[in-house]
Amino acid sequence: MAAEIQISIRTECPPGACTCERESLLQDTQGDRRILMLTQTEEKRLIARIEAISSYNDLNRMIGLMHAQLGIRLRITPSPNEVKTLRGIIIQLDAQPGLCRKTRANIPAAIRRCLDARPEIAFAILDSHDLLGGI
């Protein structure tokens, strides 16, 4: 007889404070519940790991891991207008049930801090969208 493994899930937000739809996700038998494994402690570890990213390849690898392990779809693209500062780089998380409002704000903020600390990653993002023309 196999023992059941207990996985801790994110605690619910105070009523009215979040629009994560956690309860409806828990009730949906077909829903992707991987995002609920991102507890507050794990979110802090994820944010620290994002801030420690050292290269564009590492950033892409982290984006892939977040999608594979948590179901988070993250897109980082230059603005269709001019990119004069890092604010011209659009960091977007797709909406999904179970993704907390605070997490939706914390991940892009951590990526911006990473790009502030390592501008070469921002240049690689621009170059990957052919904005620098291979300069």
Side-chain angles (χ1 to χ4, degrees):
M1 184 161 93
E4 233 179 85
I5 299 174
Q6 293 292 328
I7 298 174
S8 61
I9 62 171
R10 189 173 187 99
T11 57
E12 61 185 303
C13 299
C18 193
T19 57
C20 65
E21 302 170 12
R22 179 182 183 273
E23 294 306 317
S24 63
L25 179 63
L26 287 172
Q27 292 174 359
D28 184 9
T29 58
Q30 302 298 319
D32 185 4
R33 296 184 182 148
R34 293 178 293 172
I35 190 64
L36 295 178
M37 292 188 305
L38 186 65
T39 63
Q40 291 173 336
T41 306
E42 291 298 320
E43 181 181 339
K44 288 177 185 177
R45 288 182 58 213
L46 175 64
I47 297 301
R49 175 64 182 101
I50 289 171
E51 290 175 350
I53 289 173
S54 60
S55 69
Y56 180 64
N57 290 334
D58 197 18
L59 176 64
N60 283 330
R61 187 175 149 275
M62 179 59 68
I63 291 170
L65 286 173
M66 286 191 309
H67 177 64
Q69 294 176 359
L70 300 171
I72 296 174
R73 291 195 183 269
L74 175 68
R75 288 188 307 269
I76 303 174
T77 57
S79 170
N81 302 324
E82 269 186 49
V83 178
K84 293 181 180 179
T85 66
L86 288 179
R87 295 289 172 205
I89 295 178
I90 300 170
I91 303 168
Q92 207 171 24
L93 289 168
D94 287 353
Q96 74 181 84
L99 185 59
C100 182
R101 176 184 55 87
K102 288 183 180 181
T103 305
R104 237 179 277 137
N106 288 341
I107 291 174
I111 291 172
R112 288 202 191 282
R113 287 190 297 271
C114 172
L115 296 178
D116 269 340
R118 291 166 202 83
E120 64 274 6
I121 299 174
F123 295 138
I125 291 169
L126 294 174
D127 197 30
S128 71
H129 289 84
D130 202 30
L131 292 180
L132 295 179
I135 296 176

